[in-house]
């Protein structure tokens, strides 16, 4: 069963206050740390800016969608994100769950 993580995030005032060189160094460190993710069983499905023209849009500026073979790999990624200091610079929320088919999902909703 596949497991998913959806991140929504926006730069905060602390990020905005960082000098450009410190931002670049932080991003370079993130890129270096994330370079080996596919070997660990992490699939990056999407990274990008959110579309605020949809009905009921998020106020967050960016999104990330990830897929994992198991929860342990997901939790390792989340631990790495936290350890990187990411949450100090971005207002961030995570949503995680496992894949379920349409019928299973609707049955779960109906069950309350």
């Amino acid at each position: 069963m596949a497991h998913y993580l959806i991140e929504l995030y926006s730069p905060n005032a602390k990020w905005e206050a960082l000098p450009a060189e410190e931002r670049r160094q932080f991003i370079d460190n993130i890129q270096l740390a994330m370079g080996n993710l596919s070997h660990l069983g992490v699939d990056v499905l999407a990274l990008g800016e959110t579309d605020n023209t949809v009905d009921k849009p998020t106020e967050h500026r960016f999104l990330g969608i990830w897929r994992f073979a198991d929860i342990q790999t997901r939790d390792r990624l989340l631990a790495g994100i936290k350890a990187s200091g990411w949450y100090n610079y971005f207002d961030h929320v995570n949503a995680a769950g496992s894949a379920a088919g349409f019928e299973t999902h609707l049955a779960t909703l109906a069950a309350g």
Side-chain angles (χ1 to χ4, degrees):
M1 176 181 307
H3 302 275
Y4 295 88
L5 172 68
I6 300 169
E7 304 174 287
L8 297 171
Y9 51 97
S10 298
N12 64 23
K14 192 171 179 181
W15 178 257
E16 298 293 338
L18 272 183
E21 182 55 36
E22 288 183 44
R23 281 189 200 181
R24 230 179 339 272
Q25 183 62 48
F26 183 82
I27 295 300
D28 287 348
N29 289 340
I30 295 293
Q31 186 172 9
L32 183 63
M34 300 300 226
N36 199 24
L37 291 179
S38 63
H39 292 39
L40 301 174
V42 177
D43 294 322
V44 181
L45 300 180
L47 295 170
E49 292 194 59
T50 58
D51 180 351
N52 65 359
T53 65
V54 299
D55 190 29
K56 297 191 151 293
T58 181
E59 293 183 18
H60 292 282
R61 185 170 167 202
F62 298 99
L63 65 84
I65 305 173
W66 308 79
R67 180 176 51 212
F68 311 89
D70 56 62
I71 291 174
Q72 295 79 12
T73 303
R74 180 203 67 200
D75 290 348
R76 282 195 298 273
L77 176 71
L78 286 169
I81 292 169
K82 185 176 183 178
S84 76
W86 184 267
Y87 299 144
N88 295 328
Y89 297 115
F90 296 89
D91 295 329
H92 189 111
V93 293
N94 292 314
S98 300
F102 190 64
E103 289 182 20
T104 301
H105 180 65
L106 292 179
T108 302
L109 290 173

